[in-house]
Amino acid sequence: MNAAETLTTDHSKAVADGSHTHGTGPGFAIPAKSRAERPTSFEPADFPMPTGREEDWRFTPLARLGTALDDVPVDRTAEWSVNPIPAGVSITQIEGADAQLRAVRAPSDRAGAIASARAVRNLLLAVAPGTVVPRPVEIEIAGVGGAVRGHLTAEVGDGAEVTVILTYTGEVELSEFVSIEIAPRARVNLVIIDECASETVHLQDIVVRVGRDAHLRASLVTLGSGLARTNTSVMLSGEGAELDLFGLYFADSGQHIENRVFVDHIAPRCRSRVAFKGALAGQTARTVWIGDVLIRAAAEGTDTYELNRNLLLTEGARADSVPNLEIETGEIAGAGHASATGRFDDEQMFYLQSRGIPEDEARRMVVRGFFADLVRQIGVASVEQGLMRAIDRELGVAHE
Amino acid sequence: MSTLEIRGLKVSVDTKEGTKPILRGVDLTIKSGETHAIMGPNGSGKSTLAYSLAGHPKYKVTDGSVTLDGQDVLAMKVDERARAGLFLAMQYPVEVPGVSVSNFLRTAKTAVAGEAPKLRTWIKEVKEAMDNLKMDPAFAERNVNEGFSGGEKKRHEILQMELLAPKFAILDETDSGLDIDALRVVSEGVNRAKAATGAGVLLITHYTRILRYIDADFVHVFVDGQIAEQGGPELADSLEAEGYDRFLAKA
Ligand SMILES: Nc1ncnc2c1ncn2[C@@H]1O[C@H](COP(=O)(O)OP(=O)(O)O)[C@@H](O)[C@H]1O
Ligand SMILES: [Mg+2]
């Protein structure tokens, strides 16, 4: 594709440099301070009401958040449905105080703190140590209007293996705090799919701790919601922990899709790969990707790479992409990032059309092709196939 | 028997400095089964002619006509031209990330033929055509042109010519960047496709070398956006000996 703006950096030879940032051009932020210093708390009052000038709120249209930043009680819940729960997996309701005690870390912004504090229901999904769950745990969360707050806890025991698919549908103003503990040697494949109606506001503050030699594969798919903002923080806190984090989004006119990723390399010899790809179609389609990676002083032998690519299908759409890498040790195996936002490639279209393929189908092939390598990484066949169909539908909507 | 007729074709390209006229009136008639070589120096407008026939949006036709059996080609969209029977083997084939060769070929064949090919015979046909072009079967699962060497891209173009069976094929410098073995393999592919379908071929080239493997019935010397001279195969021999200087001096 024609990269309008490309940034690729290889930090494998980088020296220790406490506040490593890139560039000062448009779209690049120089954080006021290290990611390590950002406060976390369960107390909403610890986070003043954002004005929109804060580093972590400056891209978000605050006026469209509804009541998500208001610290007031709510009484609604979304409808949960779960496929028959496989043996070794349990889903139970717990007290709010218990949920907060179990959290791997407190929320890092006001929305997350309120989501937990005002949660009507606190659910705990637990996978017993050593259990290899034979089929995915599929949970559908359907919004039926109103303001909903939730705190979801997941704990995967030592050496367990599980795939969890969370699908969000319906219309709702939903703000959630999600804490996931992955014990040593466990392997988790987490797929989160947002297919909510266009009136939906969906905020998620996801915090994951990955233990020694454990592996998290996570795919965040955002096709729906009018405003979707996902904070994903992953702490690689046990030696040899691994993260493969994928994101796929498709924004139409009127949609704001924001992904904020924070990969925290705490322990030595961990590996992280982050790849987000988005397509934007329509005048007011808007996406934001922030990719913060912190390699702490103790995280020797870190191997990290993050990538964001955006495909602008029409005029007017806008994608912001801000990679940021902080390196506090010189002893790393590799660290790099790439960010590119490009227009839809007319040469690819011409090539396909010159073989008789009609315009609509050619466009579908190019966009499917853009996402194909990511989709193949999800590792759940039914999700992969469903996604390709969903992308086709998005294209149908975008070009009607 | 089909006829591709180009009359008084003038084409401009939009550049940052404004509209730049490139083709300055091209007349050419090609019939089924004929091979016309178009030879000319770099920058003379050969690719512009090829792209204009295929309908590339960058090239604006300002005058003239192109018809295929009387049908107005210039009024057709790019994909319609291909379905009408035109094929362009590109000088610089385009990479299409994430789209496999096998998916691409099947989709193109379905579009051109108007119906999906029977799966079993199609797979066999593709495999044979790839064998003939000495292409590794693993190619089918690679992404279109991604990471292909120059020679692999050209084989892939001719593979498409064989499978899509056009009425007229425009081959834009299919010979450039090929070593002698690859040139022979690719040329044989063109000859096979021609023998099988009776297609007319417009063979665009800078060098005479490919004419040792593909017989041209007519040779046109292309200079400065126009045909400067035409003749039979003997014209290619004189170009081989003298180069283009004679024409450039005149122009
Ligand atoms: N897309 C384009 N933009 C600007 N100039 C072009 C473009 N395509 C062709 N030209 C110009 O038109 C002339 C003919 O180019 P081309 O048709 O590629 O020649 P050839 O194939 O014979 O080498 C050249 O001067 C070239 O620079
Ligand atoms: Mg050329």
Side-chain angles (χ1 to χ4, degrees):
Chain A
M1 70 190 229
N2 295 327
E5 177 195 308
T6 306
L7 173 80
T8 307
T9 315
D10 180 359
H11 290 272
S12 49
K13 290 170 196 74
V15 291
D17 169 357
S19 59
H20 189 103
T21 55
H22 269 281
T24 50
F28 282 88
I30 300 181
K33 49 189 172 184
S34 165
R35 259 321 288 250
E37 293 160 31
R38 241 190 245 170
T40 62
S41 172
F42 277 108
E43 183 49 60
D46 287 346
F47 301 98
M49 184 65 95
T51 62
R53 286 187 295 275
E54 297 78 4
E55 176 52 39
D56 58 337
W57 289 104
R58 68 190 181 106
F59 290 104
T60 315
L62 296 176
R64 288 165 59 186
L65 288 182
T67 61
L69 296 178
D70 298 337
D71 187 17
V72 294
V74 297
D75 55 5
R76 302 289 289 267
T77 54
E79 281 174 4
W80 268 60
S81 51
V82 189
N83 67 341
I85 298 171
V89 179
S90 65
I91 298 179
T92 51
Q93 203 159 329
I94 56 176
E95 292 300 320
D98 188 17
Q100 295 194 348
L101 269 176
R102 288 170 182 267
V104 298
R105 199 203 70 195
S108 62
D109 70 15
R110 184 173 171 90
I114 292 171
S116 175
R118 301 295 185 177
V120 172
R121 209 163 41 184
N122 296 277
L123 288 169
L124 168 65
L125 185 156
V127 182
T131 311
V132 177
V133 183
R135 51 184 175 75
V137 180
E138 296 182 55
I139 301 169
E140 185 179 335
I141 298 155
V144 287
V148 177
R149 309 286 172 256
H151 183 148
L152 175 62
T153 306
E155 293 175 356
V156 180
D158 195 327
E161 291 181 26
V162 66
T163 294
V164 178
I165 304 169
L166 287 174
T167 305
Y168 292 86
T169 60
E171 186 191 326
V172 63
E173 180 202 293
L174 175 60
S175 182
E176 286 176 306
F177 177 69
V178 181
S179 165
I180 303 173
E181 174 91 75
I182 303 176
R185 291 165 291 278
R187 301 182 70 80
V188 174
N189 188 358
L190 172 67
V191 181
I192 300 183
I193 304 171
D194 180 331
E195 291 179 340
C196 293
S198 57
E199 297 78 17
T200 289
V201 173
H202 189 191
L203 306 184
Q204 250 181 341
D205 192 13
I206 304 169
V207 186
V208 191
R209 183 162 60 202
V210 189
R212 186 183 186 104
D213 294 328
H215 181 233
L216 170 64
R217 171 179 300 265
S219 304
L220 309 179
V221 179
T222 315
L223 303 173
S225 288
L227 189 149
R229 177 182 143 117
T230 309
N231 286 331
T232 309
S233 302
V234 180
M235 297 178 276
L236 297 168
S237 55
E239 185 167 350
E242 291 188 85
L243 167 69
D244 286 288
L245 175 61
F246 306 106
L248 187 157
Y249 45 90
F250 199 124
D252 304 324
S253 250
Q255 263 185 301
H256 174 102
I257 298 176
E258 180 167 343
N259 272 288
R260 298 181 155 267
V261 174
F262 175 35
V263 179
D264 193 353
H265 275 271
I266 297 167
R269 284 165 287 283
C270 293
R271 186 189 68 91
S272 63
R273 291 288 178 274
V274 175
F276 278 65
K277 282 189 173 188
L280 295 82
Q283 277 291 325
T284 57
R286 189 90 158 79
T287 67
V288 178
W289 179 82
I290 312 290
D292 290 340
V293 174
L294 169 62
I295 304 174
R296 296 191 192 244
E300 291 181 357
T302 288
D303 178 7
T304 177
Y305 191 82
E306 56 168 359
L307 166 145
N308 176 227
R309 290 175 76 83
N310 295 296
L311 181 60
L312 305 176
L313 295 174
T314 59
E315 298 291 323
R318 179 170 164 185
D320 284 289
S321 181
V322 188
N324 179 49
L325 187 51
E326 284 180 74
I327 306 177
E328 294 176 349
T329 170
E331 304 295 313
I332 57 172
H337 54 202
S339 160
T341 296
R343 302 212 160 276
F344 194 65
D345 191 332
D346 294 334
E347 296 301 326
Q348 291 177 12
M349 285 295 285
F350 173 71
Y351 189 75
L352 296 175
Q353 287 175 269
S354 76
R355 272 51 180 154
I357 301 170
E359 186 178 350
D360 280 359
E361 192 166 2
R363 181 180 292 107
R364 210 156 41 230
M365 288 176 89
V366 171
V367 176
R368 276 170 155 255
F370 172 73
F371 285 121
D373 58 338
L374 264 201
V375 171
R376 271 197 292 271
Q377 299 280 352
I378 291 175
V380 185
S382 60
V383 172
E384 292 175 10
Q385 286 151 19
L387 255 181
M388 279 308 195
R389 283 195 297 274
I391 290 166
D392 287 351
R393 279 200 302 278
E394 288 286 334
L395 281 167
V397 172
H399 293 278
E400 253 163 25
Chain B
M1 175 64 115
S2 289
T3 307
L4 180 66
E5 202 168 311
I6 304 165
R7 284 287 160 265
L9 189 67
K10 294 186 181 172
V11 172
S12 298
V13 61
D14 287 330
T15 68
K16 282 189 219 73
E17 292 78 41
T19 311
K20 182 178 169 189
I22 298 175
L23 299 189
R24 307 190 305 140
V26 177
D27 293 292
L28 189 63
T29 302
I30 310 171
K31 295 196 158 73
S32 297
E34 293 178 352
T35 297
H36 292 246
I38 295 224
M39 306 191 57
N42 283 330
S44 58
K46 303 183 300 298
S47 290
T48 301
L49 175 63
Y51 278 128
S52 303
L53 294 175
H56 193 293
K58 253 195 208 149
Y59 300 88
K60 300 278 179 281
V61 174
T62 55
D63 201 9
S65 67
V66 178
T67 57
L68 199 170
D69 294 333
Q71 276 186 290
D72 183 359
V73 170
L74 299 178
M76 299 178 196
K77 289 196 269 187
V78 177
D79 52 309
E80 290 168 346
R81 296 179 193 206
R83 294 201 294 273
L86 287 185
F87 176 81
L88 168 61
M90 291 185 203
Q91 184 175 359
Y92 303 108
V94 182
E95 294 183 5
V96 192
V99 175
S100 71
V101 166
S102 69
N103 177 21
F104 166 65
L105 293 175
R106 193 171 4 89
T107 309
K109 182 67 183 181
T110 303
V112 164
E115 59 177 358
K118 295 260 177 318
L119 204 57
R120 193 132 45 84
T121 49
W122 173 246
I123 289 171
K124 204 166 138 252
E125 204 179 321
V126 172
K127 193 185 169 308
E128 268 176 28
M130 288 179 68
D131 279 352
N132 285 336
L133 287 165
K134 311 237 175 336
M135 293 174 79
D136 190 311
F139 254 86
E141 295 321 313
R142 287 177 61 179
N143 292 334
V144 172
N145 293 320
E146 210 177 44
F148 287 22
S149 70
E152 288 166 345
K153 284 182 181 164
K154 298 304 174 72
R155 284 170 210 240
H156 180 234
E157 294 293 284
I158 300 309
L159 174 69
Q160 294 167 56
M161 177 186 172
E162 289 204 67
L163 293 171
L164 300 180
K167 289 186 184 138
F168 291 96
I170 304 148
L171 312 181
D172 190 4
E173 296 210 21
T174 296
D175 52 339
S176 65
L178 295 184
D179 63 29
I180 201 73
D181 292 326
L183 181 63
R184 189 179 315 111
V185 165
V186 161
S187 299
E188 283 167 7
V190 173
N191 290 332
R192 246 190 334 267
K194 226 188 118 175
T197 63
V201 173
L202 189 60
L203 183 71
I204 295 174
T205 180
H206 184 76
Y207 303 103
T208 52
R209 177 172 90 125
I210 194 171
L211 299 177
R212 278 178 236 153
Y213 303 97
I214 299 175
D215 294 327
D217 306 297
F218 305 92
V219 174
H220 312 265
V221 181
F222 208 75
V223 179
D224 198 18
Q226 278 178 316
I227 292 173
E229 189 166 327
Q230 12 200 351
E234 73 288 346
L235 182 52
D237 298 335
S238 83
L239 283 174
E240 167 97 64
E242 301 164 26
Y244 294 110
D245 288 354
R246 174 159 72 88
F247 300 99
L248 292 171
K250 216 164 56 182

